[in-house]
Amino acid sequence: MSQSRQGAASATAWPATALTKNYPKGCLIPRHRHKRGQLIYAASGVMQVTTREGIWIVPPQRSLWVPAAMPHEIRMEGHVAVRTLYLDRTAGSLLGDHCRILAITDLLRELILAMVGAYGAGDAQRMHMMLPLLLHELHGADESAIRIPTPSDPRLRKVCGRLLADPSRTDTLDQLAQQVGASSRTLARLFESELKMSFVRWRQHVRLARALSRLNAGASIKSVARDAGYASCSAFCVMFRQVMGITPTGYGRRMIA
């Protein structure tokens, strides 16, 4: 910390600290935890964050809230510009004790970037002034379920592992059940009880994670749809809009903007 920042911090306690860093494609930040809650914002690029609650996909226009002391690792799916705020326990408690993907509006984006800038400039007073508005906007932000929960049952772990390794696989639940020595009824029950979603929904999220990375890298919608295991672009676009609330074309425009 610079002398100017130390001087400002001594006069006014920091309600948040910040980190600005750009990472290359494929970079892995090993499993770790923080004393403060962490608001991870992807200014550009796509991140994959793994916690005990599952795998979280963080594309641009989204932010992931990671509560204090939550172990997590981060993998960069492309070149990623990360802007992170670490909130003290008082502020962090307002965002809850579970991971959440939050949609980032234009106002939230500017608030996050302004707070990161204020920290870099050693202006704790400015951060204090912006924090209440940031928390208010985050509290009302839309949540996006770009999450891939992970199972504990060994049979289900095998099935999920195969689909994670190759999201374009078109195996039916019956076929997968035969491969792991279980009945399709048992697997369907495990998906609902352990992962809180159906097999079809879970595979959609895995395919969406691959699609976001490919779109971010500039791949065409047609090739992304084919890679994700969809027979047509229209079927892929319907799935994409259902989960993301926007078409792949609209998502691409936002990335450029």
Side-chain angles (χ1 to χ4, degrees), residues 14-20 23 32-40 65-66 72 74 82-89 91-92 115 119 127 131:
W14 288 98
T17 56
L19 174 69
T20 299
Y23 295 93
H32 63 287
R33 67 181 74 191
H34 301 281
K35 291 182 179 180
R36 291 187 170 205
Q38 185 178 8
L39 185 71
I40 310 173
W65 168 245
V66 181
H72 58 286
I74 306 174
V82 178
R83 305 295 181 262
T84 302
L85 293 174
Y86 301 92
L87 305 182
D88 64 24
R89 289 190 178 274
M115 289 186 70
Y119 183 73
M127 291 190 80
L131 182 61

Side-chain angles (χ1 to χ4, degrees), residues 153-156 158-159 162 173-187 190:
D153 183 273
R155 296 162 296 180
L156 196 56
K158 286 182 182 179
V159 168
R162 292 175 185 184
L173 193 58
D174 282 332
Q175 291 171 329
L176 290 167
Q178 292 176 7
Q179 295 168 22
V180 299
S183 69
S184 59
R185 181 176 296 179
T186 295
L187 286 185
L190 287 171

Side-chain angles (χ1 to χ4, degrees), residues 96-142:
D97 55 4
H98 292 283
C99 293
R100 302 163 61 199
I101 288 279
L102 300 171
I104 298 300
T105 62
D106 290 342
L107 176 56
L108 271 171
R109 177 182 181 277
E110 294 307 317
L111 281 168
I112 291 170
L113 296 180
M115 289 186 70
V116 169
Y119 183 73
D123 193 343
Q125 183 178 13
R126 188 169 186 232
M127 291 190 80
H128 268 287
M129 294 173 67
M130 289 187 287
L131 182 61
L133 181 57
L134 175 81
L135 295 174
H136 174 79
E137 292 297 309
L138 287 171
H139 183 71
D142 291 334

